[in-house]
Amino acid sequence: MVNTPTSAATGIHWPALPHPTNALLLALQYQLERSQWCTPEQLQQQQSLQLQALVTHAQNSVPFYQQRLQHFPNLNQSKFSLDIFRQIPILKRSELQQSNKNFRSSALPKDHLPIHQLRTSGSTGAPVDIIGTQVTELFFRAFNLRNHLWHQRNFSGKLAIIQIQTDREYKQKARSLNWVEAFPSGQVVEFDTGQTIQQQLLWIQQEQPDYLLTYPSNLKALIEQAQTQGNSLSSLQGISTFGELVTPTLRQLVRESLKLEIIDVYSAKDAGIIALQCPKDFHYHIQSEGIYVEILDNENQPCASGEVGRVVVTPLHNYAMPLLRYEIGDYAEVGHACPCGRGLPVLNQIYGRQRNMLVLPTGEKIWPKFILSNWAKMGPIRQIQAIQQNRSQIEVKLVIDRPLIDIEEKQLHQKISEDFDNKFQILLQYVDEIPRTSGGKYEDFICEVS
Ligand SMILES: [Zn+2]
């Protein structure tokens, strides 16, 4: 089926004459359709031009960078290159917290107005305020639209979103028309992860959506509950996730129970959409037209294909609050060029934050290899989370439907201990609930060792 954009002119249906706001979005889409097939070198050339403009703006009007880049060569010269750009020191979240206000530009171009706040709460408590503009918002919407087009969604379908809702916003947008911007599309309905899984399932059955967008952990809980109750989620034609790690186990669960494939989006509140899942594969394409992404090893050198490193981003168009080489705290594995032919760089897998790494008694850090669902299967366990408290001890929090009998507890204890190579003392702790982080994420494993 051909999707014709929404037309705004009286009596004109095809080809559409879109409203100016939508026309901008479609003009961007036209360029994105082409740029995705550019070679990596061509993409870098364009990124370099955009970075030069952004860095110059930051040097001229952002107090933090006026100071940080004062001994730097004047980057507003023809010799600017990505190699020069990569000499800019990496920006830590703590620096952004400490001098938050100094990141605001005093000379925001008028055509970037209005601005809006993208508050992020931050796992360590101290909030970081990030300002976005009309331009960053436009790019966010453009990559969203690209995602719908890449995955050939049926625009007339109904989309259900289940995520953390703040009261006021939720009531305003709980039900609205049109989830695909610039095109005629179906209804979008929203629900709150604060409701029980049971309530969420009931709501889905009332709404009968074609598409569902939610956090991976919430999706997993929904499917498991639906299975135990014999409920079906059969109205769904597509499943999308965001905000947390999508494990191969979860992909498998969705494949087996719903005969669908998860389409995941890698985004961050302070950086926008970073990467979208390839239409032909399970890995991700960096959205190079909106963001410059580096995956760096411990020596701050770029990782090669197959290596895991820290994600460092530079959003290309945020002139209200430029962030140059900002380390967002995630880790990712670099991929090879994609057989689909797109030149947009590939990330094989996105890993959680650094605090999701395990610290061995020797002080070495590794990614823990356990599969949480294997533990959860060993008893009437509803939720489970492991927290490393020090180099020798791991506390495992459990939400249970009934008390475990002795043998269940003993086997569970033994299995967890083995999964950590018997290197840690394991404490089981029964709790009423395991809350999400304030950013809406639910983490399998948290390391509290500094
Ligand atoms: Zn691809």
Side-chain angles (χ1 to χ4, degrees), residues 37 150 276-285 336-346:
W37 307 108
W150 272 11
L276 297 174
Q277 194 174 311
C278 173
K280 306 269 180 207
D281 211 311
F282 300 120
H283 55 219
Y284 302 76
H285 281 292
H336 292 279
C338 184
C340 77
R342 288 175 178 82
L344 303 168
V346 171

